[in-house]
Every structure is written in structure tokens, then in C-alpha cells.
Amino acid sequence: RQMCIRDSRYEEDIRMLSEGNQNAYRFSIAWTRIIPEGRGKKSQEGIDFYHRILDTCKRYHVEPVVTLYHYDLPQPLYENGGWENRDTVEAYTEYAKICFEEFGGKVNLWATINEPGYDTICCYGRGNYPPNVQNLERRWRAMYHLLIASASAVKVYKLMKLNGAIGIVSDSYSIETLVDNEEYQKAKYWADLFYNRSVNEVSVTGIYPQDLIDKLKADGFDTSYILAEDEEVFMAGKVDYLGINAYDRTLVKPYQGGETSMTANNTGDGVTKNETIIKNWFVLDEDPDTEKNAWGCELYPKAVYNLLLELRKIYPNTPVIITENGLGYYDNLENGEVQDTYRIDFLKSYIAVSYTHLRAHETDSYL
């Protein structure tokens, strides 16, 4: 996963990354370090801080992979409606341009926004992130603005003709079912649209999915924020690569009644269920035979392999970078150290499964 570098000891941390044979370091720039109020006056102190980080990366031969936005919206913008307000798109574009101007010569890999899908599910689906509401109509509006902001930043970056690549980081899932029939396949289609294509399609192809617009209208949701003039921005803002945060699969089954409801195990109590009903779309399913961690997340190594094959099939010309993968676990200290063999085993299993299946298909055209 993305790591947090301590402000006062970042050089030590980056040196340790290098000594551990890590060749890249993904981190995010805090918008408020660059523009404390979200718009307006820049902070030279904050800009200088990131120059020091980037110079240290270069000194230790660690490639910086820089995310512009990772959930941390400046408070004044949040109070003005956050990502539900179109003005936030303009503010973000201004912020991104400043970052490109300041750091463009030192960064070869940029990511515009981290997880527009998951962020807005937590904000407006589960309600466990601010503004802590459960209202999917507001979710779709906020996510649309995140996506047009991402495209706007990509457009600016390419107009500046900087030597590097820019993408988006999407939480993406292998959507699967335990039953293979027409009803389950329909649920799989809607879940893929809800979780994956709603972000990835427009980011990669530059076209906002028409079936998503039609579905939102069928649900009676307001779609007036989808503007015709945005089509050009989306097309000009196609990503150079797709970053995916890939952890586990998403099992679904057909919707059979009930109102929309999303709950999640946020405490790791080993008891609370991750339950989702999306009215007229799908329902989350559960495989009782699959091992899960204390947060109820499946430990299913083939999920990443299946996802990569699916992405290769639908976006054959777009490079994919796995930007996050890992295991949530309660760590125990033994003599002042964490004996995390469980995490090592987890990573080995993911690599082994992918390697085995890739070798089995090594003559296929997608390799």
C-alpha cells in the first residue's frame, strides 16, 4: 500500500526504501501544503518541502509516483459543497497546474486522483467518510466531478508537453458470481458498471458510459451536471495508464427486493458483515468457503489475475500499474518487532497464482 513518510525523517525512510531494493515510492501531495485555502495564494514552504522529497528520491535512485489528490480536500472547498460543487473542478485544475509547473521536471509518473469510486462510496454510500450521508444520487454527482477534474488535469499536463506519463488510480475489482445463469450475469454487468466501468471507461476511452447515464435516469436521479461541453475535456483527458488498487474480488447476486443499503466492517471486529444492496442493480454475495480477514475481506489471490485479464481484454492498448495491494491485519509486537509472516505469505500467494496461470497461457497473444 501507499506508505506515509514522516516529515522529519523522510530521508531516512527513502534511504531504507532504496536499501530494501524498492525502486519506486508512491506518495500523494497534500493540496493544502501547496494552496492552504484550496484556491489563491501558494505556499512556498509547502512547495519547497516536496522539492526536498523529490530530490531525496533522486539521490537514492527511487522513482517517485506522485498522486495529486488522495481524499484530502481543503476545508474551505469542502464547506462550499466539496466535489458536489462544480467550482471544485476548477480549483483542482488550478492546483494540478501549479504542481506540474513546480515539479514536472522531477516527476515522470503522475496520478490525478486516488479511487474516485471508493472515495464516493464511503462518502455517499456507506456514509463513513465526510459528509457521512447515504445518498447515491449525490455520490454520482460528486464522482462525475472528480472524473472531469481528472480529465482536466490530464489535458493541462499534455498541453504543457512534459516528459512523463499521467494516469488515474482506480479501485477495481474482479466481478464474479457463484452461479452462472442469465440473472447472475445481469447482476455482474451492473456491478461492473457500478464499481469499475463508471471510472475506468471514461478515463481510458474519453467517453462517459451511456449505459450509466441511462441507468441513473431510470433510477430517477438528476443528471443535469453532465454537460455536453465536457465531452471534449474527457476526450482530451484520456490517461496514459490505468493504476489499479486491487485487493479482492467482488461477488454479486441478483437484486430481489429491498432499498439501497451499504454497510462495511470498519473496526476489524471479525463479526460485522460487509453488506450491500443496490436497488435495481445487484446485491453483494458471500462465499462461505473462502478465507477472510478480520474486516471481512476475502483472501483470494486469483482476484488480481482475473482482473488483469479482464482489463487487458477491454482496454488492450492501455498499460496497467498495480498501485496498491496488501493485507489488513492486526499486528502483534514480539520483542519489539512485528513478525508478519502472514503478510509475506499473502503476497507470495498472489504472485504464485498469477505466475502459474500466466505460464499456463504464455503463448496467448495478450502476454
Side-chain angles (χ1 to χ4, degrees), residues 81-193:
W83 287 106
E84 295 178 71
N85 188 336
R86 180 74 181 218
D87 290 346
T88 305
V89 176
E90 297 178 14
Y92 171 84
T93 306
E94 294 167 6
Y95 154 67
K97 187 172 187 293
I98 290 170
C99 290
F100 298 149
E101 291 170 343
E102 291 289 344
F103 313 122
K106 298 180 179 181
V107 177
N108 295 317
L109 282 171
W110 293 91
T112 55
I113 289 169
N114 183 78
E115 298 182 338
Y118 186 78
D119 186 17
T120 52
I121 283 174
C122 290
C123 292
Y124 302 99
R126 296 170 178 162
N128 58 328
Y129 289 5
N132 306 105
V133 298
Q134 295 184 331
N135 185 320
L136 286 185
E137 183 170 26
R138 292 173 64 180
R139 183 252 177 160
W140 292 113
R141 180 185 186 94
M143 194 169 82
Y144 180 88
H145 288 152
L146 280 160
L147 292 170
I148 194 67
S150 172
S152 296
V154 173
K155 179 181 178 181
V156 168
Y157 183 80
K158 293 183 176 181
L159 286 173
M160 294 174 71
K161 299 187 183 303
L162 294 167
N163 293 321
I166 186 166
I168 193 170
V169 171
S170 168
D171 56 297
S172 297
Y173 309 86
S174 173
I175 310 295
E176 301 181 23
T177 64
L178 296 177
V179 177
D180 186 12
N181 63 26
E182 186 175 349
E183 277 191 302
Y184 273 78
Q185 288 304 310
K186 185 176 180 181
K188 180 179 178 180
Y189 176 88
W190 292 125
D192 186 47
L193 183 63

Side-chain angles (χ1 to χ4, degrees), residues 188-259:
K188 180 179 178 180
Y189 176 88
W190 292 125
D192 186 47
L193 183 63
F194 185 91
Y195 288 112
N196 295 333
R197 288 185 49 232
S198 56
V199 171
N200 300 344
E201 194 89 355
V202 67
S203 300
V204 173
T205 70
I207 300 172
Y208 199 76
Q210 185 60 49
D211 51 351
L212 175 58
I213 297 173
D214 294 342
K215 185 67 168 172
L216 297 181
K217 289 181 177 178
D219 284 348
F221 290 166
D222 173 35
T223 59
S224 60
Y225 52 85
I226 300 176
L227 307 179
E229 55 263 36
D230 291 341
E231 293 179 6
E232 182 276 328
V233 179
F234 280 133
M235 188 58 64
K238 291 185 289 187
V239 295
D240 297 319
Y241 73 91
L242 180 64
I244 56 168
N245 294 348
Y247 292 96
D248 50 18
R249 64 178 172 172
T250 293
L251 276 176
V252 298
K253 59 185 179 182
Y255 170 78
Q256 293 181 328
E259 296 300 313

